[in-house]
Amino acid sequence: MIITRTKKEFDRYYKLIKESKKTVGFVPTMGALHEGHLSLIKRSNKENNFTVVSIFVNPAQFNNATDLINYPRNEEKDFDLLLKALCDIVFVPDVNEMYPERDNRVFEFNGLDRLMEGKYREGHFNGVAQIVSKLFKIIKPNRAYFGRKDFQQAAIIKSMNNNYLKDLHIEIVTCDIIREKDGLAMSSRNQLLNESERKSAVRISQTLNKYVKQYSKYSVQELIKKITDEINQDYNLKVEYIDIVDDEDLQNVNKIVPGKTTFCVAVYDGEIRLIDNLAVK
Ligand code: PAF
């Protein structure tokens, strides 16, 4: 595995791969890797000749300074995991490399960024689009892989890719959520939970599961109330939002259609903000 820290260094190795006309899959990450990331790398390895992974904790997408400072970082452990996962090149730039000057670009996502996460994390998706577009232009992969845990992010990246980067011809691949044995959606932020919060966290996926299965018994409003109340019963947990949305335009629905509707939640577990979602099958 080749480790590169600058665009120049990356290009030097990457030129050879691009000249060979082989396909490249790209997995962008902010490090603190877990099985969820490894599943994206596995899929990329299956579908491409080479896999590039980036590790960059992107300040532009954090709307909370403490969250940025506390975001878990463990480069050595990440490299070990990437080596085992058969990553070919890892790109680990620093902030000056990615933002040599202020990025003032403002992206338009046709309102997708004003729903759910966007309501509570101002500027977050613009920051995601800034970094992902920069990375796409450097790496120019054939395919890029994102986890469905960040359901809204995947929709926004697809929109950005179609509207701003069409000439790069990158296919966006969304992969299933990987869960812990007890159902908790894997996330780098789970590392920040203490023992009691970790126990409480299970309630999020359990409650989603329970009411997604019973969706036909209640109205959408009743479902939202029941899920909120049941999660909030745990003293560590506080629901920020629960939205039941259309898979295409992410708008709230009045009627649940199996195969086209997803339940999305954001919950504070102590100080740690967790998100999860579950599709109605
Ligand atoms: O999902 C993430 O880890 C980040 O939002 C991403 C896509 C790597 C951009 O910084």
Side-chain angles (χ1 to χ4, degrees), residues 41-271:
I41 298 169
K42 200 168 166 190
R43 173 95 179 255
S44 168
N45 276 335
K46 208 166 135 195
E47 297 178 352
N48 304 281
N49 302 108
F50 291 95
T51 295
V52 175
V53 175
S54 65
I55 299 178
F56 180 66
V57 182
N58 173 35
Q61 71 188 73
F62 284 80
N63 55 328
N64 175 324
T66 321
D67 192 23
L68 173 61
I69 292 166
N70 291 338
Y71 198 84
R73 293 162 172 89
N74 193 337
E75 201 177 88
E76 283 313 308
K77 188 168 165 226
D78 286 347
F79 288 167
D80 274 356
L81 289 171
L82 289 176
L83 198 64
K84 289 193 188 109
L86 306 178
C87 160
D88 296 290
I89 305 187
V90 52
F91 179 50
V92 204
D94 66 12
V95 175
N96 289 332
E97 187 67 18
M98 292 315 290
Y99 294 101
E101 64 233 13
R102 216 184 141 82
D103 189 343
N104 292 318
R105 288 174 301 159
V106 177
F107 292 82
E108 177 53 58
F109 305 109
N110 299 324
L112 281 180
D113 56 327
R114 291 194 285 275
L115 314 160
M116 299 196 279
E117 289 298 284
K119 276 195 210 155
Y120 298 91
R121 305 186 67 189
E122 212 193 323
H124 167 68
F125 287 120
N126 200 61
V128 170
Q130 287 179 344
I131 194 66
V132 173
S133 61
K134 279 172 186 270
L135 290 166
F136 277 10
K137 284 180 196 165
I138 296 168
I139 294 160
K140 300 188 188 72
N142 299 83
R143 299 181 187 86
Y145 295 81
F146 295 86
R148 192 187 149 100
K149 188 176 84 64
D150 294 297
F151 178 69
Q152 189 176 6
Q153 170 173 280
I156 284 196
I157 284 168
K158 277 186 189 153
S159 155
M160 177 200 73
N161 193 47
N162 282 337
N163 295 333
Y164 295 91
L165 300 174
K166 227 182 166 77
D167 46 345
L168 292 179
H169 305 291
I170 300 170
E171 181 191 342
I172 306 295
V173 184
T174 311
C175 305
D176 286 346
I177 299 179
I178 305 294
R179 295 183 181 277
E180 301 286 354
K181 282 201 182 76
D182 61 12
L184 175 65
M186 290 206 184
S187 162
S188 304
R189 286 193 164 83
N190 294 351
Q191 296 181 19
L192 302 171
L193 300 171
N194 65 30
E195 209 179 314
S196 151
E197 291 160 351
R198 174 62 186 83
K199 276 191 188 138
S200 299
V202 182
R203 185 180 275 259
I204 303 169
S205 58
Q206 277 175 351
T207 314
L208 272 185
N209 236 315
K210 174 173 163 189
Y211 286 103
V212 163
K213 279 193 191 132
Q214 300 184 23
Y215 80 88
S216 57
K217 285 195 194 160
Y218 304 106
S219 71
V220 167
Q221 285 322 312
E222 284 167 338
L223 284 165
I224 291 175
K225 179 156 179 6
K226 280 185 179 295
I227 298 169
T228 308
D229 290 349
E230 211 155 306
I231 292 178
N232 284 346
Q233 265 167 29
D234 185 293
Y235 68 98
N236 281 322
L237 303 180
K238 179 94 190 79
V239 169
E240 187 163 60
Y241 69 79
I242 303 210
D243 279 355
I244 300 182
V245 303
D246 178 273
D247 286 352
E248 288 295 314
D249 62 13
L250 309 193
Q251 296 292 331
N252 289 300
V253 296
N254 292 319
K255 189 173 175 303
I256 292 170
V257 184
K260 293 188 171 171
T261 310
T262 295
F263 287 40
C264 301
V265 299
V267 178
Y268 273 95
D269 189 354
E271 297 289 309

